[in-house]
Short mmCIF file of all heavy atoms in Angstrom, two decimals:
data_model
loop_
_atom_site.label_atom_id
_atom_site.label_comp_id
_atom_site.label_asym_id
_atom_site.label_seq_id
_atom_site.Cartn_x
_atom_site.Cartn_y
_atom_site.Cartn_z
N GLU A 50 2.33 9.69 20.67
CA GLU A 50 3.42 10.59 21.04
C GLU A 50 2.84 12.00 21.06
O GLU A 50 2.20 12.44 20.12
CB GLU A 50 4.62 10.54 20.07
CG GLU A 50 5.74 11.43 20.63
CD GLU A 50 6.94 11.61 19.73
OE1 GLU A 50 6.99 11.02 18.63
OE2 GLU A 50 7.86 12.37 20.15
N ILE A 51 3.12 12.69 22.15
CA ILE A 51 2.65 14.09 22.30
C ILE A 51 3.80 15.03 21.95
O ILE A 51 4.91 14.86 22.42
CB ILE A 51 2.25 14.34 23.78
CG1 ILE A 51 1.03 13.47 24.16
CG2 ILE A 51 1.96 15.82 24.03
CD1 ILE A 51 0.65 13.54 25.63
N GLY A 52 3.54 16.02 21.10
CA GLY A 52 4.54 17.03 20.76
C GLY A 52 5.75 16.42 20.05
O GLY A 52 6.86 16.48 20.55
N PHE A 53 5.51 15.84 18.86
CA PHE A 53 6.58 15.03 18.21
C PHE A 53 7.60 15.87 17.42
O PHE A 53 8.56 15.30 16.89
CB PHE A 53 5.93 13.99 17.29
CG PHE A 53 4.93 14.51 16.29
CD1 PHE A 53 5.33 15.33 15.26
CD2 PHE A 53 3.59 14.22 16.43
CE1 PHE A 53 4.38 15.82 14.33
CE2 PHE A 53 2.64 14.71 15.54
CZ PHE A 53 3.05 15.53 14.49
N GLY A 54 7.45 17.18 17.36
CA GLY A 54 8.45 18.01 16.69
C GLY A 54 8.64 17.60 15.23
O GLY A 54 7.67 17.66 14.47
N ASN A 55 9.83 17.17 14.85
CA ASN A 55 10.08 16.83 13.44
C ASN A 55 9.57 15.43 13.05
O ASN A 55 9.69 15.03 11.89
CB ASN A 55 11.56 17.00 13.06
CG ASN A 55 12.46 16.01 13.81
OD1 ASN A 55 11.96 15.12 14.46
ND2 ASN A 55 13.74 16.17 13.68
N GLY A 56 9.04 14.69 14.00
CA GLY A 56 8.41 13.42 13.69
C GLY A 56 9.35 12.21 13.62
O GLY A 56 8.95 11.10 13.31
N GLU A 57 10.63 12.47 13.97
CA GLU A 57 11.65 11.42 13.87
C GLU A 57 11.36 10.25 14.82
O GLU A 57 11.38 9.06 14.41
CB GLU A 57 12.94 12.12 14.31
CG GLU A 57 14.20 11.58 13.89
CD GLU A 57 15.33 12.46 14.48
OE1 GLU A 57 15.11 13.65 14.76
OE2 GLU A 57 16.42 11.88 14.60
N PHE A 58 11.05 10.56 16.08
CA PHE A 58 10.77 9.55 17.11
C PHE A 58 9.49 8.78 16.71
O PHE A 58 9.44 7.56 16.75
CB PHE A 58 10.62 10.24 18.47
CG PHE A 58 10.43 9.32 19.64
CD1 PHE A 58 11.53 8.95 20.43
CD2 PHE A 58 9.17 8.84 19.97
CE1 PHE A 58 11.34 8.11 21.52
CE2 PHE A 58 9.00 7.99 21.07
CZ PHE A 58 10.08 7.65 21.83
N LEU A 74 0.29 13.61 18.27
CA LEU A 74 -0.52 14.78 18.56
C LEU A 74 0.44 15.98 18.65
O LEU A 74 1.37 15.98 19.45
CB LEU A 74 -1.26 14.65 19.90
CG LEU A 74 -2.03 13.33 20.12
CD1 LEU A 74 -2.69 13.34 21.50
CD2 LEU A 74 -3.07 13.13 19.03
N GLU A 75 0.22 16.98 17.82
CA GLU A 75 1.17 18.10 17.75
C GLU A 75 0.43 19.37 17.45
O GLU A 75 -0.44 19.43 16.59
CB GLU A 75 2.24 17.76 16.68
CG GLU A 75 3.15 18.86 16.27
CD GLU A 75 4.04 19.42 17.37
OE1 GLU A 75 4.83 18.68 17.97
OE2 GLU A 75 3.92 20.64 17.64
N ILE A 76 0.81 20.44 18.15
CA ILE A 76 0.10 21.71 18.00
C ILE A 76 0.62 22.57 16.85
O ILE A 76 -0.10 23.40 16.33
CB ILE A 76 0.16 22.48 19.35
CG1 ILE A 76 -1.02 23.39 19.50
CG2 ILE A 76 1.46 23.25 19.50
CD1 ILE A 76 -1.28 23.83 20.94
N SER A 77 1.88 22.31 16.44
CA SER A 77 2.44 23.16 15.37
C SER A 77 2.19 22.56 13.99
O SER A 77 2.56 21.41 13.72
CB SER A 77 3.97 23.30 15.58
OG SER A 77 4.62 23.48 14.37
N CYS A 80 5.36 21.48 12.18
CA CYS A 80 5.85 20.13 12.61
C CYS A 80 4.97 19.06 11.99
O CYS A 80 5.47 18.01 11.53
CB CYS A 80 5.82 20.02 14.13
SG CYS A 80 7.03 21.09 14.91
N GLY A 101 -3.29 19.72 16.83
CA GLY A 101 -4.05 20.42 17.87
C GLY A 101 -3.41 20.26 19.24
O GLY A 101 -2.34 19.65 19.35
N ASP A 102 -4.07 20.80 20.23
CA ASP A 102 -3.57 20.76 21.60
C ASP A 102 -3.77 19.34 22.18
O ASP A 102 -4.92 18.89 22.34
CB ASP A 102 -4.34 21.81 22.42
CG ASP A 102 -3.71 22.00 23.81
OD1 ASP A 102 -3.12 21.04 24.33
OD2 ASP A 102 -3.83 23.11 24.33
N ALA A 103 -2.68 18.72 22.53
CA ALA A 103 -2.72 17.32 23.00
C ALA A 103 -3.57 17.18 24.26
O ALA A 103 -4.15 16.13 24.54
CB ALA A 103 -1.33 16.80 23.25
N ARG A 104 -3.66 18.27 25.05
CA ARG A 104 -4.41 18.17 26.31
C ARG A 104 -5.88 17.89 26.03
O ARG A 104 -6.57 17.24 26.76
CB ARG A 104 -4.28 19.47 27.11
CG ARG A 104 -2.85 19.65 27.61
CD ARG A 104 -2.67 21.00 28.26
NE ARG A 104 -2.72 22.09 27.29
CZ ARG A 104 -2.44 23.36 27.57
NH1 ARG A 104 -2.12 23.67 28.77
NH2 ARG A 104 -2.51 24.29 26.63
N MET A 121 6.20 11.41 25.74
CA MET A 121 6.32 12.87 25.57
C MET A 121 7.80 13.22 25.82
O MET A 121 8.32 12.99 26.90
CB MET A 121 5.42 13.62 26.54
CG MET A 121 5.49 15.11 26.30
SD MET A 121 4.07 16.02 27.01
CE MET A 121 4.31 15.81 28.73
N SER A 122 8.45 13.73 24.75
CA SER A 122 9.89 14.02 24.88
C SER A 122 10.11 15.53 24.80
O SER A 122 9.70 16.17 23.86
CB SER A 122 10.65 13.37 23.71
OG SER A 122 10.47 11.99 23.71
N PHE A 123 10.74 16.01 25.83
CA PHE A 123 11.17 17.40 25.91
C PHE A 123 10.04 18.43 25.64
O PHE A 123 10.18 19.27 24.74
CB PHE A 123 12.39 17.63 24.98
CG PHE A 123 13.46 16.65 25.30
CD1 PHE A 123 13.59 15.47 24.59
CD2 PHE A 123 14.28 16.83 26.40
CE1 PHE A 123 14.51 14.49 24.95
CE2 PHE A 123 15.25 15.90 26.75
CZ PHE A 123 15.34 14.72 26.00
N PRO A 124 8.95 18.32 26.36
CA PRO A 124 7.90 19.34 26.22
C PRO A 124 8.44 20.68 26.71
O PRO A 124 9.33 20.72 27.56
CB PRO A 124 6.79 18.84 27.15
CG PRO A 124 7.50 18.01 28.17
CD PRO A 124 8.67 17.37 27.46
N CYS A 125 7.90 21.77 26.15
CA CYS A 125 8.31 23.09 26.66
C CYS A 125 7.89 23.14 28.16
O CYS A 125 6.72 22.93 28.45
CB CYS A 125 7.57 24.21 25.94
SG CYS A 125 7.38 23.90 24.17
N TRP A 127 7.87 25.66 30.27
CA TRP A 127 7.26 26.93 30.70
C TRP A 127 7.67 27.22 32.14
O TRP A 127 6.83 27.16 33.05
CB TRP A 127 5.73 26.89 30.55
CG TRP A 127 5.31 26.77 29.12
CD1 TRP A 127 4.80 25.67 28.53
CD2 TRP A 127 5.38 27.78 28.10
NE1 TRP A 127 4.56 25.90 27.21
CE2 TRP A 127 4.88 27.21 26.89
CE3 TRP A 127 5.79 29.13 28.07
CZ2 TRP A 127 4.81 27.92 25.71
CZ3 TRP A 127 5.71 29.83 26.88
CH2 TRP A 127 5.22 29.24 25.72
N ARG A 135 0.29 26.76 30.72
CA ARG A 135 0.61 26.35 29.36
C ARG A 135 1.29 24.97 29.32
O ARG A 135 1.43 24.36 28.27
CB ARG A 135 1.55 27.33 28.68
CG ARG A 135 0.95 28.70 28.54
CD ARG A 135 1.90 29.60 27.77
NE ARG A 135 1.45 30.96 27.82
CZ ARG A 135 2.15 31.99 27.39
NH1 ARG A 135 3.36 31.79 26.89
NH2 ARG A 135 1.70 33.21 27.44
N ARG A 136 1.75 24.48 30.50
CA ARG A 136 2.43 23.16 30.52
C ARG A 136 1.40 22.08 30.14
O ARG A 136 0.27 22.11 30.63
CB ARG A 136 2.98 22.85 31.93
CG ARG A 136 4.13 23.75 32.28
CD ARG A 136 4.59 23.56 33.74
NE ARG A 136 5.31 24.76 34.13
CZ ARG A 136 5.36 25.27 35.34
NH1 ARG A 136 4.77 24.66 36.35
NH2 ARG A 136 6.02 26.41 35.57
N VAL A 137 1.88 21.14 29.30
CA VAL A 137 0.97 20.04 28.86
C VAL A 137 0.46 19.29 30.09
O VAL A 137 -0.69 18.84 30.15
CB VAL A 137 1.70 19.07 27.87
CG1 VAL A 137 0.82 17.87 27.55
CG2 VAL A 137 2.06 19.79 26.59
N ARG A 190 18.06 5.64 25.35
CA ARG A 190 16.85 5.02 24.79
C ARG A 190 17.19 4.47 23.40
O ARG A 190 18.11 4.97 22.73
CB ARG A 190 15.72 6.05 24.65
CG ARG A 190 15.24 6.56 25.97
CD ARG A 190 13.87 7.24 25.80
NE ARG A 190 13.96 8.56 25.21
CZ ARG A 190 12.89 9.32 24.98
NH1 ARG A 190 11.70 8.87 25.33
NH2 ARG A 190 13.00 10.52 24.45
N THR A 194 15.64 11.82 20.14
CA THR A 194 14.91 12.89 19.43
C THR A 194 15.94 13.98 19.13
O THR A 194 17.03 14.02 19.67
CB THR A 194 13.77 13.45 20.27
OG1 THR A 194 14.33 14.26 21.32
CG2 THR A 194 12.86 12.39 20.84
N LYS A 195 15.47 14.93 18.30
CA LYS A 195 16.33 16.06 17.93
C LYS A 195 16.75 16.85 19.17
O LYS A 195 17.93 17.18 19.38
CB LYS A 195 15.49 16.94 16.98
CG LYS A 195 16.23 18.16 16.45
CD LYS A 195 15.34 18.88 15.49
CE LYS A 195 15.78 20.33 15.37
NZ LYS A 195 14.84 21.14 14.58
N TYR A 196 15.76 17.11 20.07
CA TYR A 196 16.10 17.89 21.28
C TYR A 196 16.99 17.12 22.23
O TYR A 196 17.87 17.66 22.87
CB TYR A 196 14.80 18.33 22.00
CG TYR A 196 14.31 19.65 21.41
CD1 TYR A 196 13.60 19.69 20.23
CD2 TYR A 196 14.59 20.85 22.03
CE1 TYR A 196 13.20 20.87 19.65
CE2 TYR A 196 14.19 22.05 21.49
CZ TYR A 196 13.47 22.07 20.29
OH TYR A 196 13.07 23.27 19.75
N GLU A 197 16.80 15.79 22.28
CA GLU A 197 17.64 14.94 23.14
C GLU A 197 19.09 15.09 22.72
O GLU A 197 19.98 15.31 23.55
CB GLU A 197 17.18 13.49 22.96
CG GLU A 197 17.75 12.52 23.96
CD GLU A 197 16.85 11.30 24.10
OE1 GLU A 197 15.80 11.21 23.42
OE2 GLU A 197 17.19 10.45 24.87
N TRP A 200 20.50 18.60 23.64
CA TRP A 200 20.84 18.78 25.07
C TRP A 200 22.04 17.95 25.46
O TRP A 200 22.88 18.38 26.26
CB TRP A 200 19.64 18.46 25.95
CG TRP A 200 18.43 19.31 25.70
CD1 TRP A 200 17.13 18.85 25.66
CD2 TRP A 200 18.36 20.71 25.49
NE1 TRP A 200 16.27 19.87 25.39
CE2 TRP A 200 16.98 21.05 25.28
CE3 TRP A 200 19.29 21.75 25.41
CZ2 TRP A 200 16.54 22.33 25.03
CZ3 TRP A 200 18.85 23.05 25.15
CH2 TRP A 200 17.51 23.33 24.97
C1 SAM B 419 10.78 21.28 22.57
S1 SAM B 419 9.84 20.57 21.31
C2 SAM B 419 10.30 18.84 21.38
C3 SAM B 419 10.07 18.15 20.06
C4 SAM B 419 10.43 16.66 20.05
N1 SAM B 419 9.61 15.89 20.99
C5 SAM B 419 11.89 16.45 20.35
O1 SAM B 419 12.20 15.96 21.46
O2 SAM B 419 12.73 16.78 19.49
C6 SAM B 419 8.21 20.55 22.00
C7 SAM B 419 7.12 20.21 20.99
O3 SAM B 419 5.85 20.11 21.63
C8 SAM B 419 4.85 20.77 20.84
N2 SAM B 419 3.79 21.20 21.75
C9 SAM B 419 3.83 22.16 22.68
N3 SAM B 419 2.65 22.25 23.35
C10 SAM B 419 1.85 21.29 22.82
C11 SAM B 419 0.50 20.88 23.07
N4 SAM B 419 -0.24 21.47 24.02
N5 SAM B 419 -0.02 19.87 22.32
C12 SAM B 419 0.74 19.26 21.35
N6 SAM B 419 2.00 19.62 21.07
C13 SAM B 419 2.58 20.61 21.79
C14 SAM B 419 5.61 21.90 20.17
O4 SAM B 419 4.97 22.38 19.00
C15 SAM B 419 6.95 21.24 19.85
O5 SAM B 419 6.93 20.59 18.63
#
Side-chain angles (χ1 to χ4, degrees):
E50 185 185 359
I51 295 174
F53 52 68
N55 66 8
E57 203 180 335
F58 185 96
L74 311 179
E75 169 60 61
I76 208 161
S77 150
C80 293
D102 189 331
R104 293 174 289 188
M121 184 160 68
S122 301
F123 307 95
C125 320
W127 296 106
R135 298 185 190 170
R136 291 173 201 149
V137 174
R190 293 197 285 181
T194 73
K195 181 177 158 187
Y196 273 80
E197 192 156 359
W200 301 137

